[in-house]
Amino acid sequence: MRLAELYPANEKINLGSHHFDADAIIRYARQFDPQPFHVDADAARHSLFGGLCASGWHTCAGWMKTFVAFWSAEYIRLKKAGIAPPELGPSTGFRKLRWFRPVFAGDTITYSVMLLTSRPLASRPGRLINTIVCEGKNQHGEPVVSFESIVLEFV
């Protein structure tokens, strides 16, 4: 089964949620994005953000974590139903990344994915190029992140 047969274009799918607590924000930022407003709550209060907030890259990593969990469960569900799941490959990149507002300590972000297009890869028969829209909204329904990703599919 192809991804486009399983999930029609322009249909948003809820992947799940990820909670961002202060300890996780600081731990991630110390390793990957050690700016004061990500690693020091006091410095963050005096920054333009007004509070400890997650790195945008941490917010994107939260999307990936929820996507992998969703797809792993979906893969098993389809197999149990006797349906051959789409074989997804790596992403060849992303575009249109936007961080709309900070993700603060205590926020829970709900992530989604939506298939935009699916087409054969001209240079490699048996492969498809899927363009997906990846989004996250906070607990107030406000968008925090959005990007388009290109994902290979093997048929």
Side-chain angles (χ1 to χ4, degrees):
M1 176 170 273
R2 291 180 171 184
L3 195 66
E5 295 168 329
L6 189 58
Y7 303 109
N10 301 311
E11 184 177 298
K12 194 177 286 193
I13 295 140
N14 185 347
L15 299 175
S17 298
H18 183 77
H19 182 75
F20 288 80
D21 65 42
D23 290 341
I25 287 171
I26 292 168
R27 197 170 38 255
Y28 182 95
R30 279 189 179 143
Q31 190 168 6
F32 301 110
D33 192 357
Q35 297 182 72
F37 41 81
H38 298 321
V39 297
D40 182 320
D42 189 50
R45 274 191 294 282
H46 301 296
S47 74
L48 71 112
F49 298 115
L52 186 70
C53 59
S55 165
W57 299 112
H58 190 182
T59 306
C60 290
W63 182 90
M64 193 65 188
K65 183 176 182 176
T66 59
F67 177 78
V68 169
F70 169 84
W71 186 246
S72 295
E74 188 69 348
Y75 196 90
I76 291 167
R77 182 189 72 78
L78 291 167
K79 284 275 204 188
K80 284 182 179 176
I83 299 167
E87 293 294 333
L88 302 180
S91 171
T92 62
F94 66 93
R95 60 184 178 222
K96 299 184 182 178
L97 172 62
R98 297 206 41 214
W99 291 301
F100 298 103
R101 59 187 34 84
V103 172
F104 291 106
D107 282 353
T108 298
I109 307 305
T110 299
Y111 293 103
S112 64
V113 66
M114 181 175 63
L115 178 66
L116 278 184
T117 63
S118 183
R119 65 174 175 79
L121 181 57
S123 63
R124 303 274 179 138
R127 294 185 186 163
L128 301 171
I129 292 285
N130 296 307
T131 302
I132 60 175
V133 175
C134 312
E135 296 178 328
K137 293 183 178 183
N138 65 20
Q139 65 274 13
H140 307 295
E142 301 165 324
V144 297
V145 66
S146 177
F147 59 95
E148 287 183 11
S149 182
I150 309 300
V151 179
L152 289 176
E153 182 178 347
F154 304 93
V155 291

